[in-house]
Amino acid sequence: MRESCEVPNVTNTTTGTQPEYPHQLLTVVRTLVKEVHPGSTAAHSANLDSALDRDLGLDSLSRVELFSRLEREFNVDLPESLVAEARTPGDFLNAILTRAGVARAKATSQTVLPAHQKAGGIPDTIPTLIDALAWQAAVHGERIHVHVHGEGGTIEQIPFQALYREARAIAVGLRRSGCRPGQTVALMLPTGRDFFSAFSGILLAGAIPVPIYPPTRLTQLEEHLMRQTSILNNADVTALITVPEGSRVARLLKGQVPTITHVTTAVEAAGDPEAFQTPYVTAQDTAFLQYTSGSTGSPKGVVLTHANLLSNIRAMRDVTHVTEEDVFVSWLPLYHDMGLIGAWLGALVCGYPLAIMSPLSFLTKPVRWLKAIHMHRGTISAAPNFAYELCASHIADQDLEGVDLSSWRLALNGAEPVNPDTLDRFATRFARHGFRREAMLPVYGLAESTVGVAFPPPARGPLIDRIRREPFVTTGAAIPAEAGETDVLRFVSCGGALPGHQIRIADEQGGVRPERVEGHLQFTGPSATSGYLRNPEETERMKLGAWLDSFDLAYMANGEVYVTGRTKDLIIRGGRNLHPYELELSIGQLPGMRKGCVAVFGSRDRATATEKLVVVAETKQRHPAQREDLRRQIMGLATDIVGSPPDDIVLAPPHAVLKTSSGKIRRTTMRERYEQGTIGTEHPQSWQSVAKLGLTGLAGQLGRRLRAVGERAYGFYCVTAGGFLLVIAWLLVAITPSKRAAYGIARLMARTLIRLCGLSPQVTGLSYLADETSRIIVSNHSSYLDGMILFAVLPGQPIFTVKGELERAWVMRVFLRKLGVQFVERFAVEKSVAAADHLAKRLEAHETLVFFPEGTFRRRPGLLPFRLGAFTAAVRSQTPIVPMALQGTRTVLPEGDWLPRPGRISIVICPPIAPVGNDFKAALSLRRDARAVILHHVSEPDIVDPTETALTKIPV
């Protein structure tokens, strides 16, 4: 847990106060940590009690550099034993004060928050959601975090401490059931305590939550399950947490998804919270997968890191000026970004309480939302436009008696197009209940930017732009209309880009459009996703260098963005650009139509090679004359609004117009259904859906079991062959007097085993190792197989560096000494430093060394921070570094497994990098360049945070 700290003054009765000593020392420490780990947040949170290894990530050579810098900074001679004995900056401070004749200080920290940070919010130095929850539980454990509104008017209160304990219990249970860090776990849970505990528990297990929504109607069971199946398969979900009543549905899903190993509930998953151990999770690790709602096609898994989430929440906090005194009231679903991140995780990070009810509770009785704001004196709430429209038109006056909305200062409106008429109706209707129009806050965001992109200034009220219709639909020019003009379009401002983020409007080729000209809304910033999970095509289509395309259309005016529609929804007809939303809204207002249940889209007419204008509208009307009258009214509206009648009008039964989880019309899917002729067709009976899925799932389970049996057979075969060859190799190496012959025998055995297991790696770049000059080869490390693979394929007789503990085991010592390996002591700093000098001497003797500078590996993909030993030896001996990227071994033999799996292994040997200079900064520069090359080739996340216990005792 990381905190922003202020060091105490140090006073001596003889020499007086010396407040500059702690400050000077921490300045040196923080500067060094920034140099060694430039992407980490550790430097910002360094204090006198920080562990040099665990908290600051300083290895033995970095500590030697710190020792030298402190001697120079304070002009003192420090005892050399301090390099090995010091555990914290405070230990160095006491030694400095002693040598300087100043009384010893008590090396302790006094925790204070930054000046801008209110007591309820987490410090800005905290890098992950795991740290955020732990900090809130430790500092504000008894504070109520969430008020859950249940059935019958019940309200359940969840303090931070209770949530943290329940999450730890679920984390322990998941780990014991086989869930590994970096694996994905799905949640199919309604709004309630179990969701909060399970989501947090998955995070604390080091796993990645994948929230999905539970089915609502059995008549749509098959479609719902198939939709979730595509998500679960894409995410490679290994477990599913759901409600007890949903276990039947969940087991059907399990049959469809080969990777799922078990289905459980939050209660069943819980273990002993006291057995919890904090996982190794960094700011750059994936926090969770947010699947897009499908308004533009098939769902896509947006990868969001902890850094993405925290930067977005903090940017929204800064622009809205929220504090722990605010209260957020929400009914938004927790499987959607606006409810999950904007409401709940925002409350976790900013420290204000959250009052929440289920979406169904709001939809069945919208006044409950407003009454909850009144009850909790809510200051913040958010909803899509339809929710404000529902309240403005469907709540009876008598239901509002006594409701006071004067506390509501931020009424966020987003997730779908904002209708200026809705803003007017809502503000007017509820003004007499204390609601202020200035509280209306139309915002813009999307999952690909975590949740928020653009916010207007609070307390200003909505800004509505009236523009001329004709120039806009023909050329995209948003020309302001005069006061008396009637043929106008109105768009609502969503404000400017969040702090630290940028927005631009571009054309199809990426050129920036002038102000007040419509184009693609593109964005960039720390909240932007790295892409879609296992969907490189869509990721590539979205990315334009540093910019991401939202595929929304918009224009800018006076630095504020006006969203006009989606590129896929745009209908081009007769040289005019038609946006469907305005027509959908107008048709939904007709008597007999179901409001919000109209889809307007373009469909390619193959006969004429033109785009047809199609309207699909839900109605309960069945009488032919009434339906014909509705058609005539739709024809008239379309002609008035878009200038031409629709080519086809489909009057569909209720629930035929499909929507996303956030209420958006799924126009792309509706277009597909229209072209397939399946709009309004009856759904099969639920038992038929269940039977069909059951049979499909049975076939899937059978195939999975057969594959598992085959993989286990392969694994046992490899282990048996490996054990046999290892015994032979050991005996032959032990009795062979020549080290060269022993090396050849061991290499032959390694190559034989690789061939027998079908793992012959594909190697590129061997020409960089063709000559016999000395070099240092550095490779990423992801499996126990790595050493054997490299030993088998690298030419010549390179010397491998291995951990010193192996030398103390007789069996390994006899074998490895014959192979000429270099043992490196991990636990004694003096020996680690001496090893660096010895390695430099071996390089001067024209030998080639092989390092795994990560020093360890883990099951979760990601390139860990590099230790400095190889690079220090390189600069001391002026030896080039040869970066090497090893891929596939993590899949063949992951950490924690002993049975290999079939897989493909590749090795990319990169051009050598010569050191420039011979000092500490030269070693840092060499390490940075080599790591960047390897990171480019391994296609894994960049893990920049070194502060983890598992990485503290790593060889130089």
Side-chain angles (χ1 to χ4, degrees), residues 39 79 87 256 308 351 361 521 611 777 838 852 870:
R87 295 291 178 264
Q256 299 288 314
N308 292 149
S361 180
L521 191 158
E611 196 167 37
I777 300 172
H838 182 63
F852 294 110

Side-chain angles (χ1 to χ4, degrees), residues 359-433:
L360 186 61
S361 180
F362 162 74
L363 293 172
T364 54
K365 201 169 184 180
V367 74
R368 289 173 177 156
W369 179 31
L370 305 184
K371 286 187 174 180
I373 293 173
H374 163 81
M375 175 191 302
H376 293 280
R377 305 312 297 150
T379 61
I380 314 170
S381 196
N385 188 85
F386 85 86
Y388 291 97
E389 182 64 41
L390 198 62
C391 290
S393 56
H394 285 73
I395 297 179
D397 287 338
Q398 58 268 27
D399 292 336
L400 291 166
E401 186 174 348
V403 171
D404 178 14
L405 302 178
S406 60
S407 63
W408 197 357
R409 72 176 187 89
L410 296 174
L412 286 78
N413 186 332
E416 66 179 22
V418 179
N419 184 358
D421 293 329
T422 298
L423 301 181
D424 291 337
R425 280 193 288 269
F426 189 91
T428 301
R429 173 79 195 279
F430 297 104
R432 58 180 177 270
H433 294 279

